[in-house]
Amino acid sequence: MEARPNKSEELFLSLGYNRFYDLFDEIMMDDFWEKEDCYRFGKVSSIFAVYAELLAYEPFKHVLEALKTQRPPMESEIGGPLFKFVRNVLAHFPVFETWGEVWVSKELVNWQREGLTIDRFLKKYVGHDEVKYRFWEADKNA
């Protein structure tokens, strides 16, 4: 593996990072949560899409693998797949306009055929203990 990104990877990473952090900065603003539900849903959907694409970059996969030994059980193991799962639900079922409308069922995710990405994620993690995530906002001590 090359230690530095090649020119194409550098272009992709630059665009991806810039878009991710633009979205992140907007989402973390207090007034973001006062905007229309569908606007917020669109922005959060976009950040999941960008993040999922960034995870495709091979060196990031190595980082996630290394985190499995440094983080609590399941937290790092499920992190990448969980974000891809959310991204896939949003991308493959663009019928929802707000988070309150989003739902999945075995029948829905297998409408084409069983065993595709969303179905595989659900089958792999069924029965596991709940994994909790939180965001730390240092400036708010929350």
Side-chain angles (χ1 to χ4, degrees), residues 86-105:
V86 172
R87 178 253 175 227
N88 285 338
V89 167
L90 299 174
H92 296 296
F93 301 101
V95 296
F96 306 114
E97 292 185 1
T98 67
W99 285 109
E101 296 176 2
V102 178
W103 59 273
V104 294
S105 69

Side-chain angles (χ1 to χ4, degrees), residues 1-10 13 57-60 62:
M1 180 173 74
E2 192 174 309
R4 296 181 46 84
N6 64 36
K7 194 171 184 131
S8 296
E9 291 169 336
E10 199 171 293
L13 292 170
Y57 181 54
E58 191 66 30
F60 292 158
H62 298 293

Side-chain angles (χ1 to χ4, degrees), residues 76-123:
S76 61
E77 181 181 330
I78 200 170
L82 174 63
F83 279 88
K84 285 183 180 179
F85 165 78
V86 172
R87 178 253 175 227
N88 285 338
V89 167
L90 299 174
H92 296 296
F93 301 101
V95 296
F96 306 114
E97 292 185 1
T98 67
W99 285 109
E101 296 176 2
V102 178
W103 59 273
V104 294
S105 69
K106 183 176 181 171
E107 186 176 42
L108 178 63
V109 300
N110 293 320
W111 76 272
Q112 287 181 309
R113 68 179 185 277
E114 208 168 314
L116 297 176
T117 308
I118 299 169
D119 186 45
R120 285 194 315 262
F121 175 87
L122 293 172
K123 285 179 179 174

Side-chain angles (χ1 to χ4, degrees), residues 37 59 75 94 101 138:
D37 288 351
E75 183 180 301
E101 296 176 2

